[in-house]
Amino acid sequence: MKYVSMGAMGLALALAVPVANAQPKEDWKALLEKRTFKSGGAELPYRLLKPAGYDPKKSYPLVVFLHGAGERGSDNEAQIRHGVREFASAKHRKQYPCFLIAPQCPAKRGWAGSEPERLVLELIPALQKEFSIDAKRIYVTGLSMGGYGTWNLIGRRPELFAAAVPICGGGNEKMAEKMAKVPIWAFHGDKDTAVPVDRSRKMIAAIEKAGGKPKYTEYKGVGHDSWTRAYGDAKMFAWMFAQKKE
């Protein structure tokens, strides 16, 4: 058996040759443009995902994504830590082309009934003027604190949203009658110690009592991190993007 020495130069050239089947990984975060919305002396940092191959002659859905308490701040980065990556995946961008906004709530603030919530509601029509957004297909979803924000938004503006997906959150049961006509699919883990599962159960029960027909998925043995399974559910995506206001 003979051994052939490549030498330093030969080895360097061999290592420099790219593997034929290697594919560069897509930088999904780079797909989300960093922006700031200003109104009434206040500012709201947010990320914007545009539809793949955006055509202004067509109209596209808009997804409003509300993050949890751990992602508050002003870096315009932390709020896309959970959930957003699923919407930005090549598969979902091809299957469900849409606009997505992920605003960032300031530290020590919340979504429900706050100035950041006001800015989110003002940002939506501002984007409708800038881009071709289907007013009949505006969706809102959020996790934990964002789940609370999701419930509150459809209570305040039920006519605006075609569907809502609140995850491990809770809301005001007295607003159930206003929410009853909005298609809702809520998710929660039954072992959640951060936001008790009873918060979602009570909201679902209140909406059903008000005549609504919400969907509800409760994960057995799952703690606060129920968003991983919810946003990883292909059926959830199919359901949400199928909803359209009459």
Side-chain angles (χ1 to χ4, degrees), residues 46-47 60 86 116 134 167 172 181 210 230:
Y46 72 99
R47 301 292 285 268
Y60 300 83
E86 294 298 330
D134 189 346
I167 302 173
N172 186 346
K181 293 183 179 181

Side-chain angles (χ1 to χ4, degrees), residues 72-194:
R72 290 177 290 187
S74 58
D75 64 355
N76 210 358
E77 183 73 31
Q79 78 269 31
I80 64 173
R81 186 178 299 152
H82 304 298
V84 175
R85 183 171 187 169
E86 294 298 330
F87 289 92
S89 72
K91 175 184 176 181
H92 285 146
R93 293 189 77 218
K94 180 179 180 180
Q95 196 168 3
Y96 308 111
C98 69
F99 285 95
L100 178 142
I101 54 171
Q104 186 174 33
C105 188
K108 299 181 181 180
R109 301 293 297 273
W111 291 118
S114 67
E115 182 177 68
E117 182 186 65
R118 172 184 69 81
L119 292 171
V120 169
L121 287 172
E122 291 183 9
L123 173 58
I124 294 172
L127 289 171
Q128 287 178 296
K129 292 179 181 179
E130 185 178 359
F131 300 106
S132 182
I133 293 173
D134 189 346
K136 295 182 179 181
R137 299 181 69 197
I138 298 177
Y139 312 118
V140 59
T141 183
L143 56 96
S144 194
M145 185 183 82
Y148 279 89
T150 299
W151 284 115
N152 200 67
L153 278 179
I154 61 174
R156 286 188 60 188
R157 296 290 305 277
E159 81 290 348
L160 178 62
F161 298 101
V165 180
I167 302 173
C168 58
N172 186 346
E173 296 154 50
K174 295 180 181 179
M175 301 173 75
E177 190 172 345
K178 295 180 179 180
M179 307 176 188
K181 293 183 179 181
V182 179
I184 299 168
W185 191 347
F187 295 82
H188 217 124
D190 70 350
K191 299 299 181 184
D192 195 332
T193 57

